[in-house]
């Protein structure tokens, strides 16, 4: 359920929402840099509602010995704890890389209202690259989504990380 786009492929959204999306994605990119500093794949996520951060996180499965410690999951866990509720309606998750199957499942269960991601994940992306889980009508919740916000910056961070590891 991506946002409508013009003939150029650019989503039609109002400028204040676009500015908010860029603002929060900058925060997610800063978190992604923290992941890279810890030797983790540089992915960061921020969960926001009504202009306030509910939770944030960065990839940390290696250092936490937890295969579920993706940036999105860490952010959702922090948000649920801070809200004292496992449901996070009317919230938006900003993440630097297209979420995987596990993360989309968590967002659906948490009832996140909107997802904004920077770069596509061509091998395991579950929004539009490989699977289209946000489009499934069998779920009891749907998530609106937008892609491409600061995609070049996110891609550059990922490319630099993997180039340094080779």
């Amino acid at each position: 359920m991506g946002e409508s786009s013009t003939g150029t492929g650019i989503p039609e959204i109002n400028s204040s929402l676009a500015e908010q999306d860029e603002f929060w994605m900058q925060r997610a990119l800063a978190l992604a840099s923290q992941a890279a500093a810890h030797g983790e794949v540089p992915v960061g996520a921020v969960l926001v509602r009504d202009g306030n951060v509910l939770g944030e996180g960065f990839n940390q499965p290696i250092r936490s010995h937890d295969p579920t410690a993706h940036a999105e999951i860490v952010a959702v866990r922090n948000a649920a704890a801070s809200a004292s509720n496992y449901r996070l309606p009317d919230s938006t998750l900003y993440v630097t890389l297209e979420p995987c199957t596990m993360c989309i499942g968590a967002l659906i269960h948490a009832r996140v209202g909107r997802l904004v991601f920077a770069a596509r994940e061509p091998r395991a992306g579950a929004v539009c690259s490989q699977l289209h889980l946000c489009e499934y009508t069998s779920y009891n919740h749907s998530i609106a989504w937008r892609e491409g916000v600061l995609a070049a910056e996110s891609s550059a961070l990922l490319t630099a990380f993997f180039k340094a590891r080779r």
Side-chain angles (χ1 to χ4, degrees):
M1 182 178 299
E3 296 178 11
S4 65
S5 54
T6 63
T8 62
I10 299 170
E12 295 176 316
I13 58 174
N14 68 50
S15 63
S16 68
L17 184 56
E19 290 169 3
Q20 288 175 39
D21 288 352
E22 286 196 20
F23 175 84
W24 293 115
M25 191 61 74
Q26 287 286 356
R27 177 64 188 147
L29 283 165
L31 290 162
S33 292
Q34 288 183 36
H38 290 287
E40 302 274 3
V41 175
V43 179
V46 181
L47 193 67
V48 177
R49 183 169 50 205
D50 299 326
N52 298 306
V53 173
L54 291 178
E56 57 185 26
F58 55 85
N59 265 9
Q60 45 194 288
I62 297 167
R63 74 183 234 174
S64 67
H65 310 288
D66 180 356
T68 70
H70 290 195
E72 302 94 324
I73 301 296
V74 174
V76 167
R77 285 178 180 157
N78 289 337
S82 94
S84 297
N85 194 340
Y86 71 107
R87 300 282 195 228
L88 303 165
D90 304 316
S91 62
T92 299
L93 181 77
Y94 296 91
V95 63
T96 58
L97 188 65
E98 179 181 1
C100 70
T101 303
M102 173 185 68
C103 293
I104 290 296
L107 299 179
I108 290 167
H109 285 290
R111 305 297 193 267
V112 170
R114 185 168 175 257
L115 166 67
V116 179
F117 66 91
R120 284 190 178 195
E121 210 305 19
R123 291 183 324 145
V127 178
C128 58
S129 292
Q130 289 296 325
L131 298 173
H132 298 88
L133 295 182
C134 293
E135 309 296 329
Y136 281 36
T137 58
S138 59
Y139 296 131
N140 60 354
H141 177 72
S142 62
I143 300 171
W145 59 276
R146 178 179 181 213
E147 68 172 302
V149 176
L150 303 180
E153 292 86 337
S154 178
S155 294
L157 186 60
L158 287 158
T159 299
F161 175 80
F162 286 113
K163 186 176 182 181
R165 295 189 58 110
R166 291 188 184 127

